Amino acid sequence: MTDKTSTVDAAAQASEAGEGAVANGSGEGEAPKGILPLFYSSPEALSPERHAGLGLDPGDDVGFAAHTQAVPITLAEFPAVCRTYPIVFVGSDTPQPVAIVGLHQNQNMFVDAEGRWDESAYVPGYVRRYPYILVRENSGENFALCVDRASPRLREGGEMPLFVDGKPSEWTEKALEFCAAFQRQASATEAFVQRLQENELLVPNQAQFTLKGGDTVRIADYLVIDERKLQTLSDDAYLGLRRDGVIAGIYCQLISSQCWGELARKADS
């Protein structure tokens, strides 16, 4: 029997990276490798000069997500996520909500050996947008649509071209719309977390399980919402959270704690 303790840190890196700087293919403005967003190893700002002949092959292979224990999520996803995954918060300054998808670091129990996500489970938007991502430009005020050149789906002459006649293709336009919506949801999520912090509702926690083989698994270094603190808020504070649309997200996170047992059972199956 062994006692294994892991910390939820991979998705925290993605959060604290701030989605990086634009990698423009020339080395100028590239994000340091150590702070690249989760899943991305070579994001480049799209341009018809550099990417005219490139396209994506269709496919649902999410093997790139097979070795992560947690995936960043947005507030809009809480109702879908809380049915399957525990929702916790990681990071320091502005904690990032994540869906826990494995009991060990570098383990996603919802991606099989063929790179397919469990069809019975919700796939987070952070996964679905790959290999695209909106990245803040060096000025800090604007965003650029980037693609991860390391994606195996991206190749010269790919079925879904990035550009057609020097202009973004319909697939690129749809990717931009999806990423822009995701960015808006991420901003709303940050405001949600700030409201939790203002009311001191986030507290450290850890999960512990004993699996069939006798191994004890502990997951630490994450935050959850303290239901007892929520219940002791003043009427004015609680009504303020309700007015700001925060209450639904709070209860989704609390409900999601029931999913820890499902993860343990999945690990034992």
Side-chain angles (χ1 to χ4, degrees):
M1 294 184 294
T2 60
D3 188 335
K4 300 178 181 178
T5 300
S6 64
T7 59
V8 185
D9 57 4
Q13 175 182 317
S15 172
E16 293 176 356
E19 301 278 269
V22 174
N24 60 18
S26 64
E28 182 181 356
E30 292 189 5
K33 291 292 184 183
I35 60 171
L36 286 171
L38 184 67
F39 306 148
Y40 298 82
S41 60
S42 186
E44 291 184 3
L46 288 181
S47 77
E49 291 77 24
R50 287 196 310 278
H51 305 117
L54 293 177
L56 283 173
D57 288 329
D60 55 4
D61 186 343
V62 292
F64 59 86
H67 302 292
T68 185
Q69 184 185 13
V71 177
I73 57 172
T74 64
L75 178 61
E77 298 179 282
F78 276 32
V81 170
C82 74
R83 301 172 186 173
T84 306
Y85 315 103
I87 298 171
V88 304
F89 300 84
V90 295
S92 51
D93 295 337
T94 302
Q96 165 76 52
V98 298
I100 300 295
V101 296
L103 295 184
H104 303 284
Q105 288 182 339
N106 303 318
Q107 175 206 51
N108 184 341
M109 295 192 297
F110 293 86
V111 178
D112 65 19
E114 284 71 46
R116 295 171 301 192
W117 199 284
D118 186 338
E119 62 181 15
S120 67
Y122 173 77
V123 183
Y126 192 98
V127 174
R128 287 183 280 120
R129 74 173 177 176
Y130 185 85
Y132 293 102
I133 186 173
L134 274 185
V135 176
R136 196 180 299 275
E137 294 181 312
N138 292 331
S139 65
E141 306 218 348
N142 299 313
F143 288 85
L145 181 64
C146 298
V147 67
D148 190 0
R149 284 297 298 265
S151 170
R153 292 176 54 206
L154 185 65
R155 65 176 179 85
E156 197 74 25
E159 186 173 329
M160 299 182 293
L162 302 182
F163 293 92
V164 174
D165 296 329
K167 297 181 180 179
S169 68
E170 63 175 303
W171 292 284
T172 298
E173 293 287 359
K174 289 178 180 178
L176 177 60
E177 291 174 7
F178 185 92
C179 290
F182 187 92
Q183 188 62 41
R184 290 191 296 271
Q185 293 167 3
S187 297
T189 304
E190 184 174 342
F192 166 75
V193 172
Q194 288 174 346
R195 296 291 280 123
L196 298 180
Q197 291 178 300
E198 289 168 6
N199 287 275
E200 300 181 344
L201 291 174
L202 292 177
V203 295
N205 199 17
Q206 70 172 14
Q208 179 174 316
F209 311 93
T210 300
L211 303 180
K212 280 184 178 179
D215 290 349
T216 298
V217 176
R218 292 186 181 89
I219 302 175
D221 287 359
Y222 65 84
L223 305 171
V224 296
I225 295 170
D226 190 327
E227 187 172 9
R228 288 176 296 180
K229 286 189 176 183
L230 176 67
Q231 292 172 345
T232 59
L233 287 178
S234 68
D235 290 346
D236 286 345
Y238 186 89
L239 290 173
L241 294 176
R242 190 180 73 176
R243 182 178 58 250
D244 294 342
V246 174
I247 295 298
I250 287 175
Y251 282 104
C252 282
Q253 193 280 315
L254 294 174
I255 290 169
S256 78
S257 64
Q258 302 301 313
C259 296
W260 284 110
E262 290 300 321
L263 282 187
R265 283 187 283 274
K266 191 176 181 69
D268 279 332
S269 61

